[in-house]
């Protein structure tokens, strides 16, 4: 059983946090700009799956290790930053590759389109210790210990957040795709979109370490 007042407060707080610009929204927009609406949707699904993984960790108590151990936190933090740097480097590297003979007279088209985007998004979410701390610091505030099992309530709110945030992510994707279509109508714009995407990924890695 869930306290209705706590549920309403959780939904309001979740809405504000999902709408506020942040690393996840930047990742969504970057993927949408570079690879289109489909890649943006795959990213949103990946973030939702990452939320499910963090909920599982929070419920069984593994996320508490990150909060208690500075070494564990730093290890996951550096792993996540390194992963984002890798994605950004590969994106930038692709924009400096010489075009093939067949494409030499055509505008640049990214070679990374829709390739493992969902997995990349999920791993970006899972390897973000700030997200783990969000689940173990934010969600327990809405647990009513006078009602049903705290474990059930943690699982409920933890799974509810990615479900609630998903349509908000879709809104970002929709408008991001509209903006991207405008730029893609210009020659070689995809080249600069891919380079911007790579820079965004590297900037997210730096932000993760701050």
């Amino acid at each position: 059983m869930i306290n209705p007042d706590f549920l309403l407060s959780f939904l309001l707080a979740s809405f504000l946090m999902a709408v506020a610009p942040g690393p996840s929204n930047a990742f969504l927009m970057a993927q949408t700009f570079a690879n289109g609406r489909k890649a943006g949707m795959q990213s949103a699904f990946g973030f939702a799956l990452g939320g499910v993984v963090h909920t599982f960790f929070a419920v069984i108590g593994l996320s508490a290790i990150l909060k208690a151990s500075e070494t564990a936190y730093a290890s996951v933090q550096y792993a996540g930053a390194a992963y984002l740097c890798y994605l950004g480097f590969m994106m930038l590297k692709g924009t400096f590759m010489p075009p093939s003979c067949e494409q030499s007279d055509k505008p640049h088209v990214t070679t990374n389109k829709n390739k493992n985007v969902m997995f990349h998004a999920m791993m970006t979410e899972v390897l973000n210790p700030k997200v783990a701390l969000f689940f173990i610091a934010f969600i327990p505030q809405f647990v009513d210990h006078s009602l049903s099992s705290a474990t059930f309530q943690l699982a409920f709110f933890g799974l509810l957040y990615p479900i609630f945030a998903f349509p908000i992510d879709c809104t970002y994707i929709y408008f991001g795709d509209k903006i991207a279509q405008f730029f893609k109508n210009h020659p070689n714009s995809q080249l600069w979109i891919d380079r911007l995407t790579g820079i965004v990924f590297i900037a997210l890695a730096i932000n993760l370490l701050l």
Side-chain angles (χ1 to χ4, degrees):
M1 186 175 180
I2 302 297
N3 186 316
D5 293 333
F6 284 16
L7 176 60
L8 182 61
S9 299
F10 175 81
L11 292 177
L12 177 60
S14 297
F15 173 78
L16 295 175
M17 296 188 70
V19 170
S24 297
N25 292 330
F27 187 99
L28 284 174
M29 296 292 281
Q31 283 289 359
T32 303
F33 284 166
N35 300 321
R37 187 182 301 182
K38 182 178 179 180
M41 292 297 296
Q42 289 176 337
S43 297
F45 276 115
F47 282 130
L49 290 175
V52 173
V53 172
H54 277 297
T55 298
F56 174 75
F57 285 166
V59 170
I60 66 175
L62 290 182
S63 291
I65 297 176
L66 293 177
K67 187 175 183 180
S69 171
E70 293 184 4
T71 302
Y73 181 91
S75 298
V76 176
Q77 190 175 33
Y78 285 121
Y83 189 74
L84 282 170
C85 276
Y86 167 77
L87 294 181
F89 173 77
M90 294 304 295
M91 180 69 73
L92 289 172
K93 180 181 176 182
T95 66
F96 291 101
M97 295 290 288
S100 62
C101 296
E102 294 80 5
Q103 294 181 336
S104 60
D105 60 341
K106 298 178 182 179
H108 170 79
V109 178
T110 179
T111 58
N112 297 320
K113 181 167 288 189
N114 301 330
K115 185 178 180 180
N116 299 323
V117 174
M118 185 183 299
F119 176 78
H120 291 328
M122 183 186 73
M123 291 304 298
T124 299
E125 190 82 342
V126 170
L127 293 175
N128 189 342
K130 294 180 180 179
V131 177
L133 292 179
F134 160 78
F135 274 87
I136 63 176
F138 173 73
I139 293 178
Q141 299 181 43
F142 302 93
V143 173
D144 188 341
H145 295 282
S146 66
L147 298 178
S148 58
S149 166
T151 300
F152 167 78
Q153 293 182 68
L154 283 172
F156 175 84
F157 286 118
L159 295 175
L160 180 61
Y161 180 79
I163 294 174
F164 184 74
F166 182 79
I168 298 174
D169 290 342
C170 291
T171 303
Y172 271 93
I173 294 166
Y174 174 81
F175 287 106
D177 183 60
K178 293 296 184 182
I179 297 172
Q181 290 301 322
F182 171 79
F183 288 104
K184 287 180 180 180
N185 289 330
H186 297 77
N188 296 322
S189 62
Q190 185 67 54
L191 174 69
W192 294 102
I193 289 175
D194 284 357
R195 288 177 179 174
L196 178 61
T197 301
I199 293 173
V200 168
F201 286 166
I202 294 174
L204 291 176
I206 296 173
N207 177 75
L208 189 60
L209 297 175
L210 296 179

